[in-house]
Every structure is written in C-alpha cells, then in structure tokens.
Amino acid sequence: MLGIRASARHVCSGSRRSFVTRARPIPPPPRARPSLPARQPPRRAFAATAAPAKAKRFPVLRWAWRLTYISVIAGAGFLTFQIYELRHPSEQREPDPNKKTLVVLGSGWGAVSLLKKLDTENYNVIVISPRNFFLFTPLLPSCTTGTIEHRSIMEPLRNILRHKTVAVKFYEADATKIDHEKKVVYISDDSDIKGDISQTEVPYDMLVVAVGATNATFGIPGVREHSCFLKEVGDAQAIRKKIMDCVETATFKDQSPEEIERLLHMVVVGGGPTGVEFAGELQDFFEEDLKKWIPEISDKFHVTLVEALPNVLPMFSKALIDYTEKVFKDEKITVQTKTMVKKVTDKTIEAEVTHPDGSKTLEIMPYGLLVWATGNAIRPVVKDLMSRIPAQQNSRRGLAVNEYLVVDGTENIWALGDCSATKYAPTAQVASQEGAFLARLFNSMAKSQTLEDDLQRLQDLKPTATGQEEHAQLDAQIEARQKQLKRLKQMGPFEYTHQGSLAYIGSDRAVADISWLNGNFATGGGLTYLFWRSAYLSMCFSTRNRILVVVDWLKAKIFGRDVSRE
C-alpha cells in the first residue's frame, strides 16, 4: 500500500513538473509610454526655413492707381449730382410786387453773367431777348465745319432762369425803342408764329442794355449781300452749308478749271481771333476729311486770310504773331495783310493792297465762299436811344457810360458789353466781367436800401424807448447798421482784369498770351492747344455744355467730320 501510494505520489509529482515545464511563458508587462503633449495644429515643414517676404515694387504707382480710381468714382458721383440738380430745379417763389422792376435786354455774355450772380429776391426781374438761349461764341468757328454741333454750345435761357430763387419773367422779343423819360421799353415779337398781340410795352424802374452789336460792313458795297458773317448760330449753319455747296458744285460734270479754282477758294476777311480760328478750322476740315472723301479737289482747295492791318492777331505779342503766320504758311493758308476790301460782287473781291514800298495796287480775287469776320456796328435800338439823350451825341462806338456803367445822361439805365463805349476792347471777357460787376452793384444797392429802411425804423423807435438799457440797445443796433451801410457804399468802380487771350490756329496748335503775375506769358504749339481746349471747356456755361462738347470732339476724332450737305 505504502509502495503504491508512494509510486502514485511520484507519478503525480512528475506529472505536475511536466505541466509546469510545458506552461506558456508569461510575457513581460508592457513598458509605460511617455505622455504626449496636447495635439498641435500641423505646421508647414518649410515654415522654419522660409525666406522673408520681399517688399512689393513700385508703391508710388500702386498708390497713384488707387488715388486715380477713387478720384474717378468721386468725379462720377459729383457729375451725377450736378446733372440731377440741373434736371430737377427747386420750386421758385413768386416775385414781390413791391420790389423794383429790373429789365435786362439781351442774352449774351454780359446779360447772362449778370443774371447768374444777381440775387433775384431783391428785384422783379424781366429778361427780353430775340433768342431764348446763351451762345458760347468762342467755339462758334468749330461749328462751321462740324467739329462741334451748334446745340452743344447753346444753353437755354429758361434753364438759367429756372434755377433762380425767385421767378424771372422772359419775353422772346426784339426791343424796338427805349423811352428813358417814361421808363418804358417797346418790344415786338418777330417770330414766325404770332399771337393776337405781337407788340407791347414793358415799364421798368431800372434798365440794363446788353443787346450787343451787329456786323459792321464799313459801307463797302456788296458785303452784306454776298458774304457770310460769323456772329450767330444761323451764320455758322449757313457757312457749313455753303462750304459743301462749293465743293459739290466744283465737282460737277464739265466744270471749267477756272471755275473749279474759284469755287474752292475760301476767303476770310478779318485777322482777329474769330477769323484766324475759322481759317484754321477750315484748313483742318480739308486736310483731315474733305481730301479723303473727295480726292479730286486735293490740289485745288485754298484758304486766304485778308487783314487790313500790318499783321494778324494784333492783340497778341509779336512772337505769337510771327508763330501764327509761320504755321499758316506751313498749312498753305495765304495771309494777305495791309489789304483793304473795296468792293464785293457775287464772284469776286476788289481789294487795295499796300506793298512794302508804300505803293498801292488794286487786286481782284475770285472766291467761292467769303466770310466777313471783322468789325462791330451799333444796333438800331441803341442808336435810337443815343439820339434821344443829349449827352450821347458825341459817342460813336455805342452808349457812353461812366465808371459804374451808368449811361451818361441817365440815372436808371446801365449798359454793358459790345453796345457800350468804354476804354476796353469789345470782347466776351470784358462783357462777362461787366455783368458780374453789375450783379454785385445791384445786390449791394438792394442791401443798402434794406439797411437804410431798418436804420430809419430804429431811429423812429428811439423817442419811444424807456430806460437806459433800451436806449443802449437801440444805439448799438443803429451803430452796427451804419457800419454795414458804410461798407456797402464803399464799392469801387468797375475795373477790368485782363486774364489773357487764346486762339486756335489749326493743325492741333494754338497760341496763348496769358497774364502772369506782373507780366505776360506767351506760348504756342501742341501743349497750348490742350490748354486752349481745357480753358474753353471750363468756360462753358453748364455741365451739360461741357459733356456735349467733349462728346463732339471725340466723335470728330473717331469718325471724322460729316461731309454731307443739309
């Protein structure tokens, strides 16, 4: 038994050993991993080694572009606002019947400059003119060749008057007679359509005569019958039509060479800015348009400028006169100075030419178109008024006025522009400054009258004042009114400030004689031409005119001028 148990114990212990030896080895415990920091956003591998950013080139140009961009946006916004204001005038008040009646005759430079700056609250204003628009005359020569359309330089008078604070009456009529003793203006409706009443009279308390002047023919036979003038819109339209009429007639079948040469000879009489600019515009029209579309006239078209004085543009400096004549020579425009027209027929001009040695010969010039661009004459209504005033008997150029533009021999009539006789040249610049002066004068007169009435009222209140304090207040108010009145009555007489002279001479060149500090700055050429355009553009009356003129210039540059005949 003991042996069996011992053997059994031996077997069991052996079996345990064998089990232990066969048991799978226990793996070692895993190593503890080090704790990781919080997850960071991924970084670019090259961030640590990237080169510093290079500075952008041309910062000045970049800022200039930004400023230009902003300026264009601001300019467009301002332009839109101006057009909106022009198209939407505010309501006007009715004039006060107790105010004085101010009658303005004319719608030219002087009259419009006066109306633009006049405070219509102070007067009952009535405007009388045979045309219901203002014409920007410096660009009128450009209308003769189609560079600019005539309506682009016309500003309706109704537009100007509608933007005044108090309503202004306008009558489209001719002033036929002025009775300065009865203070009445007689007017007549000369339009094609007339009503039951076409003649009437307009009473006034104050009268401004700004009717301008008519064309002077100097008594030369045939000028009025056979020549074209250049003062009104109708004149420019007639010239434009006649230019193409001469060209088309010259190309008519079997036309003789002599007749072709005559028809294509364009003569301009007058060497002032108007005549010079028209000659330049006409030569440009031929070189840039007519020669392209009608090549058969390329060697026959000719422009001649005739001037009685020794040189053209007498108001310019000698250097600019020589430059203008040189440019005209290059453009093949003939300049005949010291040449006086004696007679004009339907086909020829008889002129007396003075030679350098003093001798004189009579020359006959055949022509197809004659443009008369010289001299001013007094209008009939002004001549009639001068005959009624004894103080005007010695005046020859127009209504003689004093330093405040009051017509000599009257107390309530003022004259300005080409119808007045002053020491200044009859130019648009002079008339414009005279109109602005009169506006300031009338505004001051109205304020002075208001202050005088107020002063009289305060003087009447003094006897009824009680107490020293009230007396002191009235004295202070009276003293203040007296000082204001003294300042207003210190307004000096009219003084003209010459700002310079400009003229276009063709081939995209111009001359300018500008007042600069205490002297003059004279220049001519292509850059002056750009200055000439910008100056005339800024002088246009309204934003509407400026936009239309720029559009016309662009049309002429891109598409050329129209060569059709109306």
Side-chain angles (χ1 to χ4, degrees):
M1 288 294 289
L2 290 172
I4 295 172
R5 287 177 182 165
S7 61
R9 201 178 292 121
H10 179 73
V11 170
C12 288
S13 61
S15 63
R16 277 195 202 108
R17 281 192 207 101
S18 64
F19 177 79
V20 172
T21 54
R22 290 195 190 118
R24 194 175 291 173
I26 299 173
R31 293 180 181 177
R33 294 183 180 179
S35 59
L36 296 175
R39 187 174 182 83
Q40 299 291 331
R43 296 182 180 178
R44 294 181 180 177
F46 56 87
T49 59
K54 293 183 179 179
K56 294 184 179 180
R57 301 176 67 186
F58 307 116
V60 175
L61 295 179
R62 194 168 67 254
W63 276 106
W65 164 249
R66 290 174 182 173
L67 289 175
T68 304
Y69 187 73
I70 294 172
S71 300
V72 169
I73 294 176
F78 180 69
L79 185 62
T80 303
F81 174 73
Q82 283 192 319
I83 295 173
Y84 178 84
E85 271 196 326
L86 186 67
R87 293 282 296 152
H88 300 85
S90 58
E91 292 296 325
Q92 288 181 311
R93 299 200 307 270
E94 288 300 316
D96 185 355
N98 298 320
K99 300 285 188 180
K100 290 183 178 181
T101 299
L102 171 62
V103 175
V104 180
L105 304 181
S107 59
W109 282 92
V112 168
S113 180
L114 165 64
L115 293 169
K116 186 177 180 180
K117 298 183 180 298
L118 180 68
D119 187 356
T120 55
E121 293 182 353
N122 300 322
Y123 303 96
N124 293 326
V125 183
I126 299 174
V127 181
I128 301 169
S129 176
R131 66 184 191 191
N132 67 344
F133 59 88
F134 165 73
L135 180 65
F136 188 76
T137 49
L139 288 176
L140 192 60
S142 299
C143 297
T144 60
T145 58
T147 306
I148 294 176
E149 294 298 326
H150 63 275
R151 289 203 172 270
S152 299
I153 60 172
M154 294 165 57
E155 180 66 19
L157 208 57
R158 297 285 185 180
N159 290 9
I160 301 171
L161 302 180
R162 184 62 181 82
H163 284 83
K164 304 302 291 184
T165 307
V166 177
V168 177
K169 292 182 180 178
F170 171 71
Y171 303 131
E172 188 183 63
D174 274 312
T176 57
K177 181 181 176 183
I178 299 172
D179 193 330
H180 70 287
E181 294 178 347
K182 295 181 180 179
K183 293 186 177 181
V184 170
V185 177
Y186 296 89
I187 62 174
S188 173
D189 180 10
D190 289 338
S191 60
D192 295 334
I193 299 176
K194 294 182 176 63
D196 293 336
I197 297 176
S198 59
Q199 293 182 347
T200 186
E201 57 186 49
V202 179
Y204 66 86
D205 297 309
M206 303 164 64
L207 176 66
V208 176
V209 182
V211 295
T214 187
N215 299 285
T217 61
F218 306 104
I220 300 173
V223 171
R224 194 166 298 278
E225 294 81 5
H226 304 297
S227 64
C228 295
F229 300 107
L230 190 50
K231 193 176 276 289
E232 301 289 345
V233 169
D235 299 335
Q237 292 174 311
I239 292 172
R240 186 173 178 177
K241 181 178 179 180
K242 198 162 184 178
I243 291 171
M244 292 312 305
D245 199 359
C246 288
V247 171
E248 297 296 348
T249 304
T251 58
F252 192 76
K253 186 176 182 298
D254 298 332
Q255 202 73 267
S256 65
E258 294 79 10
E259 187 66 5
I260 293 174
E261 186 177 352
R262 180 189 72 82
L263 288 167
L264 297 179
H265 185 203
M266 312 294 170
V267 179
V268 185
V269 178
T274 301
V276 167
E277 288 186 347
F278 172 69
E281 291 278 0
L282 186 57
Q283 189 66 25
D284 286 351
F285 183 36
F286 168 70
E287 293 290 343
E288 297 173 8
D289 298 283
L290 288 176
K291 194 161 65 171
K292 292 178 183 177
W293 308 120
I294 315 173
E296 57 265 33
I297 69 169
S298 59
D299 58 341
K300 301 178 180 65
F301 192 90
H302 186 56
V303 179
T304 299
L305 181 64
V306 175
E307 171 57 46
L309 296 177
N311 50 340
V312 299
L313 299 177
M315 69 289 297
F316 285 75
S317 64
K318 182 66 167 60
L320 292 181
I321 292 172
D322 294 340
Y323 176 74
T324 301
E325 293 179 350
K326 177 181 178 301
V327 170
F328 273 13
K329 185 177 180 181
D330 295 340
E331 294 175 348
K332 299 178 182 178
I333 297 175
T334 302
V335 178
Q336 289 194 207
T337 56
K338 297 183 180 181
T339 303
M340 296 185 65
V341 177
K342 295 296 183 180
K343 184 181 178 181
V344 177
T345 67
D346 60 338
K347 293 185 178 182
T348 60
I349 299 170
E350 294 182 12
E352 185 181 75
V353 181
T354 302
H355 299 284
D357 59 356
S359 61
K360 297 181 180 180
T361 58
L362 191 64
E363 181 179 344
I364 297 178
M365 290 185 286
Y367 72 91
L369 169 68
L370 171 61
V371 175
W372 193 267
T374 179
N376 289 330
I378 303 172
R379 291 191 181 274
V381 63
V382 175
K383 190 178 295 185
D384 178 73
L385 177 61
M386 291 170 62
S387 67
R388 296 170 179 271
I389 303 174
Q392 298 288 330
Q393 299 306 311
N394 296 326
S395 181
R396 294 291 178 265
R397 294 192 298 112
L399 289 166
V401 296
N402 65 11
E403 64 271 19
Y404 288 91
L405 304 181
V406 179
V407 175
D408 292 344
T410 68
E411 294 181 355
N412 50 11
I413 300 178
W414 290 260
L416 49 83
D418 294 353
C419 68
S420 65
T422 64
K423 59 183 179 181
Y424 307 112
T427 63
Q429 194 175 154
V430 173
S432 180
Q433 292 188 28
E434 288 176 340
F437 169 80
L438 270 191
R440 293 194 303 271
L441 180 64
F442 291 163
N443 292 338
S444 298
M445 289 169 59
K447 291 177 182 177
S448 299
Q449 186 62 47
T450 302
L451 286 173
E452 287 176 353
D453 294 342
D454 197 15
L455 197 58
Q456 185 61 46
R457 181 184 61 81
L458 293 173
Q459 294 282 5
D460 294 340
L461 287 176
K462 283 191 71 174
T464 62
T466 59
Q468 292 184 350
E469 185 177 351
E470 190 172 350
H471 270 286
Q473 289 179 354
L474 286 173
D475 289 339
Q477 292 179 14
I478 289 172
E479 185 180 359
R481 300 297 190 281
Q482 287 174 343
K483 288 182 178 179
Q484 292 177 8
L485 191 60
K486 185 178 179 180
R487 283 197 300 268
L488 286 173
K489 290 189 174 181
Q490 285 178 347
M491 184 174 177
F494 171 72
E495 291 184 5
Y496 169 65
T497 304
H498 185 65
Q499 298 175 349
S501 303
L502 297 169
Y504 177 64
I505 58 176
S507 298
D508 292 344
R509 282 176 283 187
V511 290
D513 205 342
I514 308 298
S515 299
W516 183 263
L517 299 177
N518 295 326
N520 285 358
F521 177 70
T523 179
L527 290 177
T528 310
Y529 165 71
L530 297 178
F531 174 74
W532 172 83
R533 278 203 164 183
S534 61
Y536 277 5
L537 196 63
S538 65
M539 290 166 61
C540 286
F541 188 85
S542 67
T543 304
R544 167 186 168 275
N545 291 136
R546 296 184 189 99
I547 294 174
L548 292 176
V549 168
V550 170
V551 170
D552 288 342
W553 280 338
L554 291 175
K555 285 194 305 182
K557 195 55 132 178
I558 296 172
F559 302 107
R561 302 169 184 84
D562 188 3
V563 297
S564 60
R565 185 168 72 88
E566 298 177 0

